[in-house]
Amino acid sequence: MTVVSRHEASHERATARPARRAVLTGALALALLGTAACGGGSAAEGEAEATGAPETTEPVVLTVAWWGGPARAENTQKVLDLYTKAHPNVTFKTQWQGYSGYYDKINTSAAGRNAPDIIQIDNRALREYANKKLLADLTEAKGGTLKVDDIDPKLLGTGEVDGKLFAVPLASNTQALAVDKTLLEPLGLLPAETGWATWDEFAAWAAQVTTATGGKVWGVRDESANMSWFEPWLRQNGKNLYDGQKPGFTTADVEEWFQMWADLRDSGGATPAEVAQPANSGDISKNTVATKQTATSFSYDNQLTELAKATDHELVLVPLPGPLEGNYSRPSQFFTAYARGENVATAIDVINFFVNDEEAGAALGTERGLPPSSKVSDAIAPSFSDQLKYVVAFDERVTAEAGDTPPVPAQGDAEMVKLLITSAENVGFGRQPVQQAAEEFVTQATAALERAGS
């Protein structure tokens, strides 16, 4: 079950992220960024007309939508309040919820031509929303209302589709495992901070944990339905999730993935499907480390602060098993402006405020991930709690050896995620054998991507 990697890490990869490394090593920037006077504006369908800051003082009400937990809601509201304090004519309505069902709600409102003015999305939805002309083209706003000089060009580029900027990264993060230190340290099973060199080592460790706890706590959650872990595993094996608008993997790859997790379940190292299923929706409150059902589970590094609030156990971060080249620095979320909104120019200015204002950066912290602006990062890093500094140090260590960030996912990615969950659960619950489920997944995924791209 050992994963073989092409192991093509290079000096270029290790040095291509200067803006990210500036979080810890850059000099403290004390000059506050000025924000322009703000107000309304209009945009043609699918286009953002504003290239400079809006100047009207007429009342403007913007609706802002995001997913996340209570901590994210509190931090986001603080920034919106800061913006209104600076621009009293601009007020906000907010919509926030858990990840499950979030895009369904956005899609319904967009179908009624009444989507929120500012929409948080992730890279899995970007291409689809851009191609449907739901998002304002922000390209012309760069250098005007939207300041991007302090954002790593590679990170900023993750918000582009076909050479046009549609989304601005709110933060960045990387893949990780959240590990229950309180449980494992007394058992002598706390992994090294570098994790496991191979999947074989990880599998053996997970089974040891389950045995050591008398079966009361499993080593790891069954993550076979998790696309966010399937992709790094593919990358470790020299594959990509997508080849243009087609799957970048074969049925044999999916069979190997499903069988690996079946073996982990059989050994007792991974949870049964019924324990894993509640967390398959991506709801962080259902994370099995937070619920103390497993010693470890998949997480993004920035989620540590939120997970830690859900348990009285001490949690630490460890890289995914296998070569670090499978990991990559990714935009945790984007902010986008609704193309048909009545105040696109104002929405862009608000997005700029979230990304470039230092007081806003301090209010957001790292709950969404690391700040995209190196200047903001430098300014707020000294005030980070020990926990946030730990998250930053982990991210820096992993991304120094991580692979390149892949292109924006194919259109239809959201359907791919659902199909993987269905097929993985079919295997886990014994409804289908591994080979049949793998074949069905690849067939359905190929068809879904073809439909989405047509």
Side-chain angles (χ1 to χ4, degrees):
M1 197 161 57
T2 302
V3 171
V4 180
S5 169
R6 290 186 298 183
H7 198 72
E8 296 176 344
S10 67
H11 177 73
E12 179 181 352
R13 282 181 177 170
T15 58
R17 299 173 180 84
R20 297 290 303 275
R21 289 198 169 87
V23 174
L24 284 180
T25 60
L28 177 63
L30 296 176
L32 291 176
L33 297 175
T35 53
C38 187
S42 63
E45 184 169 300
E47 298 281 342
E49 292 180 343
T51 58
E55 297 179 350
T56 182
T57 57
E58 293 297 314
V60 173
V61 180
L62 297 178
T63 301
V64 185
W66 69 90
W67 74 83
R72 179 171 300 174
E74 180 180 354
N75 295 346
T76 304
Q77 189 62 57
K78 286 179 181 178
V79 178
L80 296 176
D81 290 345
L82 286 171
Y83 190 90
T84 297
K85 183 178 179 180
H87 309 285
N89 65 307
V90 182
T91 55
F92 300 94
K93 294 180 180 179
T94 60
Q95 299 175 3
W96 69 276
Q97 63 177 76
Y99 189 79
S100 180
Y102 173 80
Y103 284 113
D104 292 336
K105 187 173 182 179
I106 296 297
N107 293 339
T108 298
S109 62
R113 304 176 70 89
N114 190 35
D117 299 281
I118 298 174
I119 309 170
Q120 177 181 292
I121 66 172
D122 58 17
N123 62 346
R124 298 203 178 282
L126 177 55
R127 185 177 297 276
E128 178 180 356
Y129 278 28
N131 287 347
K132 287 182 177 179
K133 300 189 183 302
L134 295 178
L135 308 180
D137 182 354
L138 309 180
T139 308
E140 295 301 318
K142 291 193 300 183
T145 304
L146 186 60
K147 310 300 181 185
V148 298
D149 290 348
D150 297 312
I151 301 176
D152 184 339
K154 288 187 177 181
L155 182 62
L156 184 67
T158 62
E160 295 182 354
V161 175
D162 299 330
K164 294 183 178 181
L165 183 68
F166 290 98
V168 180
L170 282 174
S172 59
N173 61 15
T174 194
Q175 303 80 6
L177 289 178
V179 176
D180 188 334
K181 180 179 179 180
T182 301
L183 170 73
L184 295 171
E185 198 164 44
L187 300 175
L189 291 172
L190 183 67
E193 68 173 17
T194 53
W196 305 268
T198 69
W199 273 82
D200 282 341
E201 289 181 10
F202 175 70
W205 171 87
Q208 279 185 289
V209 171
T210 306
T211 299
T213 63
K216 294 179 180 179
V217 179
W218 286 273
V220 64
R221 186 179 89 87
D222 171 17
E223 303 273 2
S224 57
N226 187 348
M227 187 71 80
S228 295
W229 199 348
F230 178 54
E231 182 180 22
W233 177 83
L234 284 172
R235 287 162 57 91
Q236 289 175 339
N237 284 279
K239 301 290 185 71
N240 288 307
L241 190 56
Y242 295 107
D243 178 11
Q245 196 58 34
K246 299 182 296 183
F249 50 86
T250 66
T251 299
D253 296 322
V254 181
E255 279 189 55
E256 185 178 351
W257 172 255
F258 284 165
Q259 188 61 54
M260 183 172 64
W261 284 101
D263 291 344
L264 273 162
R265 290 191 299 270
D266 290 344
S267 73
T271 61
E274 59 268 22
V275 176
Q277 187 181 44
N280 284 343
S281 67
D283 186 344
I284 194 171
S285 69
K286 302 296 194 301
N287 186 293
T288 52
V289 165
T291 58
K292 299 181 182 176
Q293 293 169 292
T294 64
T296 187
S297 65
F298 181 89
S299 176
Y300 287 106
D301 54 10
N302 65 292
Q303 293 177 324
L304 180 68
T305 54
E306 189 78 357
L307 282 173
K309 294 176 182 177
T311 177
D312 57 354
H313 282 196
E314 182 180 356
L315 306 181
V316 294
L317 297 172
V318 174
L320 302 183
L324 290 179
E325 291 93 324
N327 297 267
Y328 61 90
S329 175
R330 63 184 291 279
S332 54
Q333 299 97 28
F334 297 107
F335 257 175
T336 61
Y338 179 45
R340 302 183 182 115
E342 295 181 0
N343 297 286
V344 174
T346 310
I348 296 172
D349 199 51
V350 174
I351 293 171
N352 180 73
F353 184 80
F354 266 80
V355 172
N356 287 307
D357 185 85
E358 292 175 12
E359 194 173 359
L364 292 173
T366 63
E367 189 278 328
R368 278 185 170 91
L370 303 183
S373 165
S374 59
K375 183 176 290 188
V376 172
S377 295
D378 290 346
I380 69 176
S383 66
F384 281 174
S385 66
D386 289 343
Q387 185 181 64
L388 293 185
K389 290 177 181 178
Y390 170 77
V391 172
V392 171
F394 174 87
D395 193 276
E396 293 294 311
R397 188 173 72 249
V398 172
T399 57
E401 298 183 43
D404 293 332
T405 298
V408 175
Q411 189 164 337
D413 177 88
E415 182 64 21
M416 280 266 290
V417 171
K418 294 177 182 178
L419 291 172
L420 180 63
I421 292 173
T422 298
S423 293
E425 290 183 353
N426 283 342
V427 175
F429 284 106
R431 294 189 288 258
Q432 283 183 310
V434 164
Q435 182 178 1
Q436 182 184 354
E439 290 174 351
E440 185 173 291
F441 170 64
V442 173
T443 298
Q444 292 180 343
T446 301
L449 293 175
E450 186 177 346
R451 285 195 305 270
S454 61

